[in-house]
Amino acid sequence: MSVINKPRLWAVIPAAGSGARFGAALPKQYLKLADKTVIEHSISKLLMHSDIAAIAVALHPDDHFFSSLSCANDSRVLRVDGGSERAHSVANALAALEKAADSDWVLVHDAARPCVSNRDIKRLIELGCAHSVGAILASPVVDTVKRSTALGEIAETVDRKEIWRALTPQLFRYGDLRDALRFCHDQQLLVTDEASALEHCGHQPLLVEGSPRNIKITYPDDLAIAEVFLRGEEQ
């Protein structure tokens, strides 16, 4: 009987930012959400998947909070120094995954997305690993979208039928992601997510529809919304 080899998986969480838009004294990933910090929820969602060999968490070099969290002592969690931009943090985390092969797959997840569902992660892995490039969780835009002028007036209404909001995790081959980030760095292209780095190299990742509950904690009101969503998971 033939044995189907499962793809080898790794994960990266860039968490070196200060969360300036949130306006709190603590970086937003360390604020309390229910019984844990935001980042603990995000990491725990990945730790649920036993196929993930290790999770590299890229932190600010002066971060004194992470070591106090219980997940910091998990054998699969690796602390890495992050960089000044998200792409730098992800590149540093990839470099720290010394046992990863170019053909392995890497999930990149936001520290501030604690509400991603186990079902969506499983579906992303299933569909992304079957795609030639990889995939991202995304949500179709349901609101009417306007493009503005420099004066803040409406320039036009944008057709939303092909517009999606990029979520995380995002899933790509280790070697492809590393090379794409290196290319963008060399070309001085600032990327705000990993998919855009692959796009700059001519790739077209798959969009996998995920739950709109997979919100990013950006403003104080988002914590209360996230707590409601997490409570719903427990029921």
Side-chain angles (χ1 to χ4, degrees):
M1 184 174 69
S2 62
V3 176
I4 299 174
N5 293 323
K6 286 187 177 181
R8 199 176 187 199
L9 293 168
W10 307 83
V12 163
I13 294 185
S18 62
R21 279 181 292 178
F22 198 92
L26 278 176
K28 62 185 178 183
Q29 60 264 33
Y30 294 117
L31 294 172
K32 278 289 185 179
L33 174 58
D35 59 335
K36 302 175 184 175
T37 61
V38 170
I39 194 172
E40 284 180 286
H41 285 286
S42 300
I43 291 175
S44 70
K45 295 299 181 68
L46 297 179
L47 287 173
M48 288 179 185
H49 295 265
S50 59
D51 289 341
I52 296 176
I55 303 170
V57 184
L59 302 165
H60 192 283
D62 296 329
D63 186 305
H64 302 299
F65 305 105
F66 187 74
S67 59
S68 66
L69 305 180
S70 59
C71 61
N73 299 315
D74 191 286
S75 60
R76 288 194 289 154
V77 175
L78 173 66
R79 176 177 178 150
V80 179
D81 282 348
S84 58
E85 301 291 345
R86 177 193 179 93
H88 304 150
S89 292
V90 174
N92 288 357
L94 291 176
L97 297 174
E98 298 175 350
K99 295 182 179 180
D102 282 3
S103 59
D104 291 349
W105 292 92
V106 180
L107 289 156
V108 184
H109 186 47
D110 291 332
R113 287 192 188 272
C115 298
V116 63
S117 71
N118 186 43
R119 180 179 61 184
D120 279 358
I121 294 175
K122 283 184 175 180
R123 190 159 179 266
L124 174 68
I125 293 171
E126 178 185 353
L127 297 179
C129 290
H131 191 268
S132 59
V133 177
I136 73 169
L137 286 181
S139 179
V141 170
V142 296
D143 299 310
T144 299
V145 178
K146 306 290 186 182
R147 192 187 309 280
S148 71
T149 67
L151 298 176
E153 299 169 340
I154 295 174
E156 63 174 323
T157 299
V158 179
D159 186 351
R160 69 187 178 201
K161 282 189 288 187
E162 297 179 350
I163 305 296
W164 294 65
R165 293 187 303 112
L167 311 175
T168 70
Q170 303 193 354
L171 175 72
F172 302 106
R173 295 275 187 190
Y174 177 91
D176 289 345
L177 179 55
R178 178 201 59 210
D179 294 346
L181 290 172
R182 189 175 296 160
F183 171 81
C184 291
H185 178 269
D186 292 344
Q187 298 297 316
Q188 298 184 328
L189 300 169
L190 183 61
V191 293
T192 56
D193 76 342
E194 292 63 53
S196 55
L198 273 291
E199 291 165 47
H200 280 301
C201 295
H203 299 296
Q204 292 182 299
L206 180 70
L207 292 163
V208 175
E209 185 169 352
S211 169
R213 292 190 172 200
N214 184 5
I215 64 170
K216 187 175 184 179
I217 305 298
T218 306
Y219 301 105
D221 287 349
D222 295 334
L223 280 174
I225 297 170
E227 186 163 354
V228 171
F229 289 160
L230 288 174
R231 250 196 329 259
E233 287 181 1
E234 297 169 0
Q235 295 175 357

